[in-house]
Structure formats: C-alpha cells, structure tokens
C-alpha cells in the first residue's frame, strides 16, 4: 500500500471510529475523569486555535478532548458543535469523494451526539432545571441546526432533510429557529411534487411554521426581521405548489391584506381580483363582490386611459373616443385620417361604414351617409351591412309628403332585399326589416288617384332620387 493510500485509509478509519463513538451515545464528561487535565488542556488549546482559524492545530487537540469527554464538563456542547466546524473544514481540504462523504457523515453525527446528550440531560441547561420538555426543545434546536447544514452545506436528499426538520419542529416548537424555514419549504415542495407527502401535510407544516414565526415576531423584537424574512423565503418555496395545495380561502387570506397596505394601487387590485377568479373563488362571496365593485371602476378608468394613449398614434381609436364623447364631427375627421393612413381595404370599408353611421344616424346628413356607405361596400365585396344602413336611412328620412314617404319605404325594401341577396349573414335582419314595413308601402287607392298601377316605375323625391317599382300595401 503506497503512502497516499495508507493516509487515506487511516483518515477514513479515524472518521469511522468517531462515528462509532457518537452512535454509541457517548456523553461522558471530564469531571473526575483520570485524564481530566489532559482533556481540559486539549480543550483550551483547540478552542483558541479555532478562534485564530488554525484548524490543523484545532483538529489535533479537539480529537483528544472529544475522545476523553464528548460532553466536556457537562455544561456545554462545544465538543460536538466544534466537531461540526472541524469536519466541514476537513471536507473542504480534500477532493476524495469518499473521504468528503465520511467527513460529512461525521459532521452530521456530531449533531446527533449533542442531541442525544441533551435528551439524556447529560449536558445540563440551567434554565431547564430538570424539565424534560425544556431539554427536548434543545434537542429540536440542535436537529434544526443539523438540517440547516444538510440543506445549505451538503445538499442532502430532501426526504432526509424533511425527516430531521419535522422532528426538530415537533420538539422545538416556538423555539424553532428562522434558519430552518427555507429548507423546510424546499423539502415540502420537492416531496409533494414527488407524491411522497400529500397536500394536507404541506398545509399542516406550512401553517405550523407561520404560527411559530408569528409568535417570535410578537415576542422577540430582536429577531422580528429575521422571522419575517424567513417567512418570505418559505412562501417563495411553497408558491411553487400552492395552486395544487390550497383552495380559495388561502388565497383570499394571502392576497387581500396587500390591498389594505396599498389601497390606492389599481394594478394590485386588478391582480388580486383576477387571481382570486382564477382560483375559482365564488363570486357570490362578500369579499369578491366588494372587490368586483372596485375592480369594475378601476378597469373602466384603465381601459379609457389605454384607449387615450393608443389614440395618440391611432386615428381609428381616437375616432371611437370622440364618438363616445358625442363629438361626431371630430370623429369623422379622425376616420378620414385613418382612411388616409392605410392601404388595407377591409379597414377602409370599416372606417367608411362608421362614417356613414355617424353621418346618417347622428348628424342626419343622409346624402353624405349614403355616399360613405357605398364606398364601404366598394372596398368589401358582398357585404350587406352598408345596404341595410342605406335602407334604414330611406325608411326613417321622412322625406316629402306622405306619398313620397311611402315611396321611400319601397326604396328601403329594395336595399334590404339587395343586402340579403349578396350577404347571407344579414338575411334574417333584412327579412325582419322587410316584414316590419309590409304595411307601410303605398296605398292602392292613392296610386289609382295618381294614375299608377302595380309595377309602374316612379322616382322617389328629395335626396333619395331612387327609381322604384310600385307595390301596394296588402291592407
């Protein structure tokens, strides 16, 4: 065996011996020990060496002190906690993966050794005064520190971390440190995603940690910021699975307090309300109804703001805004700008149709409206809506005497028929219009007085100027 292999074998053997002593739950002290002076001397030397970052000297003397008295004088756990530091340092000094693992296992067993000694009350805690529950809290504290190293230093499997953390929290309770929050969140998330724990377990542990944090934030001002920060890190982990773990009530409790903190944030209001909808919250709930009122008011302003921003560079949108405000002449100007800035014939058809609707229905400029409607039809073939509009203008124009108005109805019916013939999409609308005006056609007796019979062609007066064939009312 060469020198390198021998040294490696020796180091691993030392580690194994150390592990064996811990597994055996050695909690001896140096009090009245035959080697008490040697243990105390080695203890003093290694502690000072650690302070000076002289790990080589520290390791040599720590081993002496630890092997004689793992529990030191029975009032401190330094031989265990300093053993963790030394084994972590040793692991950093080697590239040998087997040796690294041995050092890691030794470091973790140091925690187990300390925990066992506290459990047996072999290392005394003055404030516990023999109270086993108090000692168990100390055990939980130590296991929490162990899990911290398993997560941050050694990147251990999440199930192993969770096993330690769950036991730690059960024992330590409100004494659980903030340092375990992110490791617990990561472990819960990973195990849930692998179907190794269920949603109930995630919710239970999450709620327990929040309760512990609340206790410490309220009762330990010195650590308030630490627990608040730890809660955020925990929640960031749980956020990865919260959609599968929690129902609506959780998200209401989580999100609505933000609105109390930022009551003037419309963007936050929108995010919260839409998120709760996405979480299938019942809209009949009072909280949802209250949010909807505020949400609807915000969205009205928001959409208006967006439209006005877009209108600065889009005359079509500007035209619609002016229309909504009743500024019809300005709306027409913007539609003309929109037409001048596009080569898209479909868009031009829409713009001309919108102009025709404004000119005819709002401004009563019937002739201009018809002209715009015909241009709309020119840019989109087989489109019936412009002809429906022209028919409506004819029917509502009140042009000339009662006879001419009845002729206008014939002109309107002709446009409705034409619209349905070229565009099946408007057929039902056109048919309803035709049926509505069936009894508004010229009366046969009036036609007879004018020397007209069914089928004669006559011109409609006023601005309409259409030639129609006479059809009489059926009544």
């Amino acid at each position: 065996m060469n020198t390198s292999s021998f040294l490696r074998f020796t180091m691993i053997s030392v580690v194994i011996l150390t592990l064996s002593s811990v597994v055996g739950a050695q909690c001896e002290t140096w009090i009245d020990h035959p080697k008490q002076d040697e243990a105390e001397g080695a203890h003093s030397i290694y502690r000072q060496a650690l302070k000076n970052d002289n790990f080589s000297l520290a390791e040599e003397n720590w081993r002496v002190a630890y092997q004689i008295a793992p529990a030191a004088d029975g009032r401190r756990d330094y031989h265990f906690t300093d053993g963790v530091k030394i084994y972590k340092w040793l692991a950093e000094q080697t590239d040998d993966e087997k040796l690294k693992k041995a050092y890691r296992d030794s470091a973790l067993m140091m925690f187990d050794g300390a925990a066992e000694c506290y459990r047996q009350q072999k290392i005394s805690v003055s404030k516990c005064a023999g109270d086993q529950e108090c000692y168990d809290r100390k055990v939980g504290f130590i296991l929490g520190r162990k899990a911290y190293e398993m997560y941050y230093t050694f990147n251990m499997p999440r199930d192993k971390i969770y096993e330690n953390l769950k036991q730690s929290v059960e024992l330590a309770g409100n004494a659980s440190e903030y340092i375990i929050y992110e490791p617990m969140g990561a472990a819960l998330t990973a195990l849930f995603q692998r179907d190794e724990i269920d949603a109930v377990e995630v919710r239970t542990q999450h709620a327990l940690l929040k309760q512990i944090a609340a206790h410490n934030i309220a009762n330990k001002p010195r650590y308030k910021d630490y627990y608040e920060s730890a809660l955020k890190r925990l929640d960031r982990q749980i956020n990865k699975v919260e959609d599968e773990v929690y129902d609506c009530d959780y998200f209401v409790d989580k999100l609505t307090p933000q609105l109390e903190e930022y009551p003037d944030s419309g963007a936050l209001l929108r995010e919260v309300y839409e998120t709760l909808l996405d979480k299938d919250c019942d809209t009949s709930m009072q909280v949802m109804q209250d949010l909807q009122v505020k949400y609807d008011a915000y969205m009205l302003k928001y959409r208006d703001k967006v439209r006005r921003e877009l209108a600065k560079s889009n005359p079509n949108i500007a035209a619609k805004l002016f229309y909504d405000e009743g500024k019809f002449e300005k709306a027409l100007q913007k539609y003309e700008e929109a037409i001048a800035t596009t080569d898209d014939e479909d868009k031009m058809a829409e713009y001309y149709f919108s102009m025709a609707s404004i000119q005819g229905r709002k401004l009563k400029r019937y002739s201009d409206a018809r002209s715009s409607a015909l241009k709309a039809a020119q840019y989109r073939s087989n489109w019936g809506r412009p002809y429906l509009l022209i028919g409506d203008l004819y029917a509502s124009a009140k042009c000339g005497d009662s006879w001419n108005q009845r002729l206008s109805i014939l002109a309107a019916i002709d446009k409705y028929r034409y619209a349905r013939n070229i565009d099946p999409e408007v057929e039902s609308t056109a048919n309803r219009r035709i049926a509505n005006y069936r009894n508004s056609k010229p009366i046969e007796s009036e036609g007879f007085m004018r020397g007209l019979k069914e089928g004669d062609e006559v011109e409609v007066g006023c601005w309409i100027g259409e030639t129609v064939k006479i059809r009489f009312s059926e009544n």
Side-chain angles (χ1 to χ4, degrees), residues 115 118-119 133-147 164-173 175-177 180:
Y118 278 119
R119 183 178 289 108
E133 288 188 5
C134 179
Y135 277 98
D136 287 344
R137 284 194 292 273
K138 188 65 177 178
V139 172
F141 177 91
I142 293 294
L143 293 178
R145 290 290 178 95
K146 176 186 177 184
N164 278 269
L165 283 173
K166 186 174 182 180
Q167 185 180 5
S168 168
V169 173
E170 287 175 354
L171 292 170
S176 299
E177 283 189 287
I180 70 169

Side-chain angles (χ1 to χ4, degrees), residues 255-287:
L255 299 177
T256 53
Q258 300 176 26
L259 298 177
E260 297 175 7
E261 187 175 357
Y262 302 101
D264 298 325
S265 176
L268 179 60
L269 169 67
R270 178 182 180 181
E271 180 182 352
V272 168
Y273 182 70
E274 291 180 353
T275 298
L276 294 180
L277 287 178
D278 187 56
K279 304 307 177 188
D280 295 326
C281 289
D282 187 346
T283 54
S284 66
M285 296 167 56
Q286 187 61 50
V287 64

